[in-house]
Amino acid sequence: MNPLKIGQHTIELPIVQGGMGIGVSWDRLAGTVSLEGGLGIISAIGTGYYQNMQYAAKVINSRPYDTQNLYSFEALKEIVKNARKICAHKPIGVNIMCAINDYSRVVADACKSGIDIIISGAGLPTNLPELTKNFPNVALVPIVSSAKALKIICKRWTQRYGRVPDAVVLEGPLSGGHQGFTYEQCAMEEYQLENLIAPVKEEIREWGDFPLIAAGGIWDKNDIDKAMALGADGVQMGTRFIGTHECDADEVFKQVLIEAKKEDIQLLKSPVGYPARGVRTNLINLVDKREGPAIKCVSNCVTPCQRGKEAKEVGYCIADRLADAWKGKRESGLFFTGANGYKLKEIISVKELLHKLVNGE
Ligand SMILES: Cc1cc2nc3c(=O)[nH]c(=O)nc-3n(C[C@H](O)[C@H](O)[C@H](O)COP(=O)(O)O)c2cc1C
C-alpha cells in the first residue's frame, strides 16, 4: 500500500479512521491510529462530555448546557493535547459536521488546538477555506457522496479562495451514521460506492490532482484492494475501529455491535434530516411508539433540528442519545454502525487491526 498525501502531510498507510461522534473517536483511538501509521480523526462532536464534563462551564440534567458547552473549546484542546501525547508529531485530524450549531467557531477551535487536517461533511463545507484562512497549514478535506457535490465545492473554493481540497472523502451508503442519500438511493445500485468512485475521480481531474478516499462498508484488505483498483488513493473506515481496545466508547457500545445481527442494522430517521444507520435496539422500538426518553433540548446541538423541533418530529434527541451510547447506556443509547457492523466478532488492538488490514490475515 502506498502512503497517502494530504496537503503537506504524508500518512504512512492509506487508511483513515473516520471521525465518530459522540465520543467514539477521541484522543485514545485517534492518537493510536496516527501513532501506528494511519490517520486518526478526532470527533469534534459533543466534546463537552469529555472526562465527566469537567470542561463544560454549565451542565443541566447531566448534559452540557447549550452549544458552547456541548462543543467545548477547552475540551477539544485537551483531547487534541492528549492525542498528541500518543502520536507526537504524526499527522492527526478532526471531523466537524457542517450541520452543527457554532460550526465556524468549532472550525476555529480545531485550528487553534493545533490540528493538521479538518474533515468535514454532513452538508457542504463551502466556506471552510474562509474559516481557516489564518491557518494555511491545516489541510482541508470535504466529505461528499457524489461528483456533483464535489463540483460545487471545487467551483466555490476556486472562485472565492483560489484553492481546491487537499483530498476528498467519498462516502457511499453502507457507512455508519448519517448518509448523504435518501432512503431510496441508499438501496440503489447506481449510488453504491463502487459505482461512485469513477465519476468522482473524473471530477477530481477537472480541478487538479488530489487524493480520493473511499468510505462506507470497507471491512478488510480485500475491500481496500477493490476500492484502490477502482481508483481510490486511500480508504476511510469507521465501524471496524469500534472493535478496538483503544476506541473511546464504553465497552457496552462495542458489545452492542458484537451482538448485533445483520437484520438489526437499519437506516433510522434522524433530527439531522438525513437517514442514519444504526442498531435497532429497544430504544428505537420505543421511539417508534413515541415512548422514548423526554426531549428537552438542553444542548442545542444541530442547526437542522431547530432547537428540538425536528427531535420532537422524529421522536428523540440526537445529542442525548449518542452521548448515552458513548457512556454505554444500553437502554437509552443510539448506537451508530456501518452496514457491516454485524461482522464484528472480537475486540483487538489498533496495531493488530492495521496489521490485518495491510497483510490481509
Ligand atoms: C458510531 C459512528 C459515528 C459516526 N460519526 C460521524 C460524525 O460525527 N461525522 C462524520 O462525518 N461521520 C461520522 N461517521 C461516519 C464515519 O466517519 C465513517 O465515514 C463511516 O463509518 C465509514 O463507514 P464504515 O463504518 O462502514 O467503515 C460515524 C460512523 C459511526 C459508525
Side-chain angles (χ1 to χ4, degrees), residues 20-23 26 42-50 53-59 63-80 94-113 121-122 178 270-272 297-308 317-323 336:
M20 292 179 281
I22 289 176
W26 274 343
I42 291 165
S43 163
I45 305 305
T47 47
Y49 279 99
Y50 185 62
M53 297 184 282
Q54 61 173 298
Y55 299 98
K58 189 169 176 185
V59 171
R63 310 273 175 205
Y65 175 69
D66 222 337
T67 313
Q68 85 226 45
N69 291 309
L70 180 66
Y71 309 119
S72 156
F73 179 29
E74 292 306 315
L76 182 60
K77 262 197 298 196
E78 201 61 22
I79 294 170
V80 174
V94 162
N95 177 295
I96 311 170
M97 288 168 56
C98 300
I100 64 169
N101 286 322
D102 278 9
Y103 174 73
S104 310
R105 194 261 302 163
V106 177
V107 168
D109 290 352
C111 292
K112 289 183 221 156
S113 302
H178 292 106
S270 158
V272 175
C297 193
V298 174
S299 299
N300 195 16
C301 63
V302 291
T303 316
C305 187
Q306 303 168 63
R307 191 88 235 203
C317 165
I318 184 103
D320 291 2
R321 297 305 120 232
L322 290 179
F336 277 172

Side-chain angles (χ1 to χ4, degrees), residues 90-162:
K90 294 203 177 184
I92 191 157
V94 162
N95 177 295
I96 311 170
M97 288 168 56
C98 300
I100 64 169
N101 286 322
D102 278 9
Y103 174 73
S104 310
R105 194 261 302 163
V106 177
V107 168
D109 290 352
C111 292
K112 289 183 221 156
S113 302
I115 210 69
D116 300 306
I117 296 169
I118 293 178
I119 300 189
S120 194
L124 296 184
T126 44
N127 62 345
L128 192 53
E130 168 82 37
L131 305 176
T132 58
K133 64 173 188 269
N134 295 330
F135 300 87
N137 293 335
V138 175
L140 305 181
V141 183
I143 304 174
V144 302
S145 295
S146 66
K148 193 173 150 203
L150 181 61
K151 187 195 274 302
I152 294 170
I153 291 168
C154 288
K155 210 168 171 181
R156 286 268 177 93
W157 286 21
T158 308
Q159 283 174 351
R160 289 194 193 164
Y161 314 111

Side-chain angles (χ1 to χ4, degrees), residues 18-21 24 43 45 95 97 143 171 174-177 215-218 236-239 242 253 336-339:
M20 292 179 281
V24 181
S43 163
I45 305 305
N95 177 295
M97 288 168 56
I143 304 174
E171 196 167 61
L174 296 181
S175 61
I218 292 173
Q236 173 171 291
M237 301 172 63
T239 308
I242 299 175
F253 195 125
F336 277 172
T337 170

Side-chain angles (χ1 to χ4, degrees), residues 20 72 82 85 96 107 117 138 140 143 145 151 182 206 220 223 225 240 245 256 292 300 308 314 334 355:
M20 292 179 281
S72 156
N82 289 334
K85 283 185 192 158
I96 311 170
V107 168
I117 296 169
V138 175
L140 305 181
I143 304 174
S145 295
K151 187 195 274 302
T182 63
E206 296 284 317
D220 53 21
D223 296 335
D225 290 345
R240 194 86 204 258
H245 299 302
V256 167
N300 195 16
V314 171
L334 171 57
H355 186 270

